[in-house]
Amino acid sequence: MDNKIDTTYTQNRELSWLRFNERVLEEAIDENVPLYEKLKFVAIYASNLDEFYRVRVGSLWDLASIETHEFDNKSFMTPKQQLAKIFETTKKLNQKADKIFADVEKNLKKAGIERKKVNSLTTKDKAYVKDYFDNFVRPFLSPQIINVRHPFPHLINKALYVGIVLTRKKRKVFGIIPVPANLPKIIYLPNKTKLRYVMMEDIIASYANKIFDGYEVEKSLILSVTRSADISLDDERLDLGEDFLEHAREVLLKRQRLAPVRLEVEGEFDSSMIKYVTNQFKITEKQIFTYKSPINKSYIFSLGSKFTDEQKNMLMYPPFSPSTICCVPENANIMDYVSQNDVMLQYPYQSFDIFLKFIKEAVTNDKVFAIKITLYRVGSHKAQLMNYLAMAAKMGKDVTVLMELRARFDEENNINWAEFLQDAGCKVIYGMEGYKVHSKICLIMKQENDGIKYFTQIGTGNYNASTSSLYTDISLITSNEGIGKDAVEFFQNMGIDNLYGEEYKHLLVAPVSLKPTLLKLIQGEIEKAQNGQETSIFLKMNSLTDRQLIDALKDASQAGVKIKMIIRGICCILPGIKGKTENIEVISVVGRFLEHSRVYCFGTGDEMKMYISSADWMTRNTENRVEIAAPIYDRKIKESIYDTLCIMWKDNLKARILQSNGTYRKPEIKEGDELLDCQNYLRHEYKVGRRITLREDKIKE
C-alpha cells in the first residue's frame, strides 16, 4: 500500500458508477417523467448494469482470481473487497428496481397497457396462447434433461433459459430449455381496447409439462448468465501477422465462452438449486441475483410502437426533432461559410444532417481531393456517412478511414463497415497497437489557387446519426489553418504508427500532450490564485477517475481556485472536504438525453481557454487511448458553449448535487424559484433559433 496516497477526498470508481446507475433508475420515480418513459429508464438501468458486469466486474473477477497486490488508488480496496461491495450494492439496487418496475406496471395497467402471466389468463386467451405455442414456438425448442448422458450445456452470455425441476419415479432431475433468440420477446394478446402481452419465456415455462412428457414439473424459473467480456484485441497473436479483421472475429466468438460473473434468476430459488448452479458455474451465492421482474427488459423499447395516439400523448415524451437551424444562412454553402467563420453544432438540439450536408458538399466539390476521418461507433447499415465516404472514393478522392475495431460491443458492426469501405476503394487503417483511437476528427482538404484549404471537424461524440439525436455532444467545424495542419500531422502519425510525432501546436492529443497540458492549465489557475488574480475552472465530462488530475484539482481547491464540474457518471473526487476540496462543487444531470459532451474551461473573461474533447478525465483516456481536445477560438462559439454550461449549472429539476460522502441530493427549491430542466430549456431555445445567453454568467467583456 502506498501511504503517500490520500483517500480522504476520493471514492471507489465502481461504487461511484453504481450510484450513477441509481440516478438513472430514479428517473423512473420522477413525477416529471411520463409513465412509459419511466419504464424505459428501468430498462436502461438494467442494460447499463449488464455492461458493467461484463466489463468492470469481469476485469475485477480476473484480478481477484490470482494472487495480486493491486488495490484501487482511490479507496485502497483490493479486487475481492470491491467485488463484495459491488455484489452487496447491486442486490439492494435490484430490489429497488423491482419495486419501481412493479409500481410503473401497475399504473400502466390503468392506462390499458398490461403484462400478463399465462396462468392468470382467461380461458379464451389461454387457448390463443396454446395455439401460438403449438404452431410457432414448440418446433423451435431444444429441451434437455441434465444427467450423465446429457451434461450441463454451455449457457450463452445473456441468453434466456427456462430451468425446470422435474421428478420421475420419485427421482428429482433438472431440465433446461433455451429460449430461442429468433422468437419474438413478447406475444400480444387479441384485444381492441387494451394492449396486453405475455413474455415468451413465460409461455415456454407454462407448457413445460407438455415439453417434458412423462415427467412431473415441480418448479420452473428463468435463468440468464452474464459472462466476462474483458478480452483485448491487442495480444501477442497480432505480432504474428494475422489478418486483423479475422482475428477480431475470433475474439468475438471467444467472448461468448468467458467465465460467468453473474447469474440472474426470475422465480423462486431454493437452497438445493443454489448449491447446484454455484457448482456448475463456479460462482458464489453472492453472484446470484433474483428478480420479480423480467430479466431481459429490452422488449420495453418496442412497446411504444403499439400505442394509440392518445396513449403516446399521455405516456411518452413529446415528439422531438433536432433543429435544422444553425449559424449558416439558409440555402448557403456550408464550406463557403466555414471558409470565413467557425461553425458549432450542439446535438441533439441541432440536426446531424447539417454535418452530413457539409460532407456531401465535400464529396461533390471538384476541388476537394482528400477526406480523412476517425470512426469509433458508426451505427446501423443505413449510415449515410458511410455511403458518402464510399462515393468519394469511387470518384477518385483520397479517402482515409481510421476504423477502430475495438469499440467494445460494436466490433462486429465496425468490421462489416471496414469491409464495405475497403470494397469501395477507401484506405482503411485500424489504429494503434495497444491504444484505442477514440478521437473524433474529420479533415477535408481542398485545392485552392493560393494553396491548400483545410476544413477540420472535431467533436465530442461519434459520427452516428442515431445517437446524435439521443446524446448531447458538440461539433466544431473550422477552417483554421493551424488546426488543419495539426489534423494533417495527426493522420500522418496514425498512418505510420507514430504515437509520439511532432508536437501539435493547437490540438491536445493523448497520450502525448493532453494530460500534461491539462496539468499545466490547472497549475496556471493555482498561480493566479496565489497572486490574488481571479480564477476559475469549469469542467464537463462523463467521468473523472485519473488520480493525477484529481490531485491537481485538490491542489487548486486548496489554493482557492473555484472549481465547478458537471460530471454525469463516475466522479472519484469528493467535494466539500474541509481543507482539501471545499472549493469544488460537482453536479450530475441525468435526463431525457444522455449528457456526453466534454468541455474544459480555464480562466475567466477574454483570457479563458476552452477546449472540447473526446476524452473523459480517466486514466484509460489520458494515457491509454488516442484522444483529441480542440481549442475554441471563436468568441461567439465560446460564449455559447459557456452559456450552455451555466444553464446546466442552474438546473434544479434534473441536476443532482454530489455531497462529501459520495451520495447525491436534489437542489433545494425555494418558494418563488424558477424551475429549470436544462435539456428542455435548450431544446426549446434551439428549436426557435434564438441565441442562448444568461447575462449574469456571461464571459466578462
Side-chain angles (χ1 to χ4, degrees), residues 263-282:
L263 180 67
E264 296 174 286
V265 180
E266 180 191 350
E268 295 182 8
F269 213 49
D270 61 31
S271 57
S272 63
M273 295 176 72
I274 289 175
K275 184 177 180 180
Y276 181 76
V277 297
T278 52
N279 288 335
Q280 288 294 335
F281 294 112
K282 305 295 188 293

Side-chain angles (χ1 to χ4, degrees), residues 432-569:
M432 309 287 288
E433 184 178 344
Y435 294 84
K436 284 186 181 181
V437 180
H438 191 248
S439 312
K440 324 296 182 186
I441 184 169
C442 177
L443 172 65
I444 293 169
M445 302 170 70
K446 181 182 179 185
Q447 183 65 58
E448 300 280 17
N449 293 333
D450 56 349
I452 297 174
K453 188 78 172 178
Y454 305 96
F455 298 85
T456 312
Q457 182 277 334
I458 300 174
T460 65
N462 297 301
Y463 298 102
N464 186 316
S466 297
T467 58
S468 71
S469 64
L470 301 172
Y471 298 178
T472 71
D473 273 305
I474 298 173
S475 175
L476 172 72
I477 308 175
T478 180
S479 61
N480 180 283
E481 185 174 7
I483 291 177
K485 287 184 176 179
D486 271 6
V488 171
E489 183 73 20
F490 173 82
F491 280 105
Q492 288 180 347
N493 286 333
M494 293 299 100
I496 61 173
D497 270 357
N498 184 14
L499 200 61
Y500 299 93
E502 292 184 19
E503 184 178 349
Y504 300 97
K505 295 179 174 59
H506 299 264
L507 302 178
L508 308 183
V509 180
V512 185
S513 60
L514 175 62
K515 187 171 177 178
T517 304
L518 294 175
L519 291 170
K520 287 178 184 177
L521 290 166
I522 296 171
Q523 183 60 35
E525 295 305 300
I526 292 174
E527 292 172 3
K528 287 181 191 176
Q530 292 169 341
N531 294 328
Q533 297 173 269
E534 189 175 2
T535 66
S536 174
I537 296 176
F538 202 165
L539 308 170
K540 181 179 184 294
M541 64 191 78
N542 300 329
S543 299
L544 169 62
T545 68
D546 188 296
R547 181 76 216 202
Q548 197 174 355
L549 288 168
I550 287 172
D551 290 342
L553 290 171
K554 182 268 298 182
D555 292 342
S557 172
Q558 288 178 317
V561 180
K562 298 296 183 183
I563 302 169
K564 294 179 180 179
M565 295 191 285
I566 304 169
I567 301 179
R568 184 196 79 214

Side-chain angles (χ1 to χ4, degrees), residues 367-434:
K367 293 183 179 180
V368 170
F369 62 90
I371 301 175
K372 303 176 187 294
I373 191 169
T374 59
L375 297 177
Y376 193 75
R377 299 190 193 278
V378 180
S380 72
H381 63 282
K382 296 180 181 179
Q384 185 61 45
L385 175 61
M386 300 295 99
N387 294 328
Y388 285 151
L389 294 175
M391 186 189 305
K394 291 175 182 177
M395 293 173 65
K397 299 182 190 297
D398 175 17
V399 180
T400 300
V401 178
L402 196 163
M403 178 69 76
E404 181 52 77
L405 296 184
R406 295 160 295 187
R408 197 180 297 274
F409 306 130
D410 265 9
E411 298 96 337
E412 185 174 357
N413 190 53
N414 287 4
I415 289 169
N416 294 334
W417 276 125
E419 292 178 332
F420 169 81
L421 293 171
Q422 283 177 334
D423 291 344
C426 300
K427 176 184 177 183
V428 181
I429 58 178
Y430 302 112
M432 309 287 288
E433 184 178 344

Side-chain angles (χ1 to χ4, degrees), residues 235-290:
D235 63 21
E236 70 283 354
R237 295 183 62 193
L238 295 183
D239 295 330
L240 303 177
E242 289 198 26
D243 180 82
F244 199 48
L245 285 175
E246 288 303 315
H247 174 67
R249 286 195 177 90
E250 290 180 20
V251 169
L252 295 181
L253 290 174
K254 284 183 181 179
R255 185 173 283 168
Q256 296 296 327
R257 302 195 69 87
L258 288 180
V261 293
R262 176 181 63 164
L263 180 67
E264 296 174 286
V265 180
E266 180 191 350
E268 295 182 8
F269 213 49
D270 61 31
S271 57
S272 63
M273 295 176 72
I274 289 175
K275 184 177 180 180
Y276 181 76
V277 297
T278 52
N279 288 335
Q280 288 294 335
F281 294 112
K282 305 295 188 293
I283 59 175
T284 67
E285 189 174 336
K286 293 179 180 179
Q287 291 166 268
I288 300 174
F289 301 90
T290 58

Side-chain angles (χ1 to χ4, degrees), residues 650 652-653 665-676:
K650 290 178 176 290
N652 54 13
L653 291 178
R665 67 172 176 83
K666 293 181 178 181
E668 182 181 354
I669 300 176
K670 299 177 182 178
E671 187 175 351
D673 285 353
E674 184 178 354
L675 300 180
L676 177 64

Side-chain angles (χ1 to χ4, degrees), residues 565-585:
M565 295 191 285
I566 304 169
I567 301 179
R568 184 196 79 214
I570 304 168
C571 182
C572 288
I573 195 168
L574 294 172
I577 303 297
K578 189 174 180 180
K580 295 177 181 177
T581 60
E582 53 198 336
N583 286 310
I584 296 177
E585 298 177 86

